[in-house]
Amino acid sequence: PPGTLSVIIPTLNEAERLPECLRAVRAAGCVDEIVVADGGSTDKTPEVAASLGALVVSAPMGRGAQIAAGMRAARGDVLVVLHADCLPEPGVFTRIKKALAENQAAPGGAVGMRYDQASPPARLIAGLNNLRALAAAIAFGDQMQFARREALHLAGGFPGLPLMEDVELSLRL
């Protein structure tokens, strides 16, 4: 069963949004480590992240390369990718660990998404994204992907692609 959980957040000029995200991660509970993988921000993103207790790593610009660098720096048994503009709900990390503990064969997964105060088209997009993840096991990064460290290693590591790294991760897992 998974022991520790690390949250990896790729950033590029997210100084304004990051505090709310980091507060939500801490409030959600069951997180052992937060790693912010910065792709060369020109604002105060690294300083904000460090001041709020995150481990900050520098990485080449590009979400896949940033996430891969963050995962290399992370120590958790379970690695969770969270975008800086997404807010985890309370208890979500406990649910992730419980799901992995109950299904030892599962290499990872994703969390369903929803938009706060969403318009009907946005709700439709979220619903279709969630349906795709359930039906085809292909998730987008906004759906908070997670993987066991060991499974990710066996799958060749996190894909360092500049775009569509989330889909490639789903396919590898």
Side-chain angles (χ1 to χ4, degrees), residues 5-8 26 31-35 55 73-76 149:
L5 185 140
S6 297
V7 175
I8 294 89
R26 296 238 187 264
V31 172
D32 298 286
E33 172 185 53
I34 301 171
V35 179
L55 170 65
R75 298 181 313 253
R149 175 181 293 284

Side-chain angles (χ1 to χ4, degrees), residues 11 14 32 61 65-66 68 93 98 103 106 108 113 117 119 122 141 170:
T11 58
E14 295 286 359
D32 298 286
M61 189 184 307
Q66 290 171 238
F93 301 117
K98 181 179 179 199
N103 187 350
M113 67 178 292
Q117 303 170 354
S119 65
S170 295

Side-chain angles (χ1 to χ4, degrees), residues 5 8 25 36 38-39 42 47 54 56 61 86 88 94-95 103 107-108 111 113 124 148 153-154 163 166:
L5 185 140
I8 294 89
V25 169
V36 170
D38 190 69
T42 56
E47 293 86 349
V56 179
M61 189 184 307
C86 297
T94 300
R95 292 193 305 273
N103 187 350
V111 176
M113 67 178 292
L124 176 63
R148 296 177 195 270
H153 175 73
L154 292 172
L163 291 172
D166 44 9

Side-chain angles (χ1 to χ4, degrees), residues 51-65:
S51 74
L52 294 171
L55 170 65
V56 179
V57 296
S58 295
M61 189 184 307
R63 205 166 43 218

Side-chain angles (χ1 to χ4, degrees), residues 62-158:
R63 205 166 43 218
Q66 290 171 238
I67 295 167
M71 288 188 171
R72 284 190 300 273
R75 298 181 313 253
D77 300 325
V78 178
L79 304 170
V80 179
V81 179
L82 177 67
H83 291 182
D85 63 347
C86 297
L87 304 176
E89 294 184 352
V92 69
F93 301 117
T94 300
R95 292 193 305 273
I96 288 171
K97 287 174 74 172
K98 181 179 179 199
L100 291 173
E102 290 174 354
N103 187 350
Q104 293 289 316
V111 176
M113 67 178 292
R114 69 177 172 79
Y115 293 103
D116 286 343
Q117 303 170 354
S119 65
R123 285 196 304 272
L124 176 63
I125 290 169
L128 290 173
N129 283 344
N130 292 335
L131 181 62
R132 182 198 61 255
L134 284 172
I138 296 175
F140 288 155
D142 289 338
Q143 291 172 288
M144 198 161 52
Q145 293 174 293
F146 59 91
R148 296 177 195 270
R149 175 181 293 284
E150 181 180 332
L152 192 59
H153 175 73
L154 292 172
F158 192 86

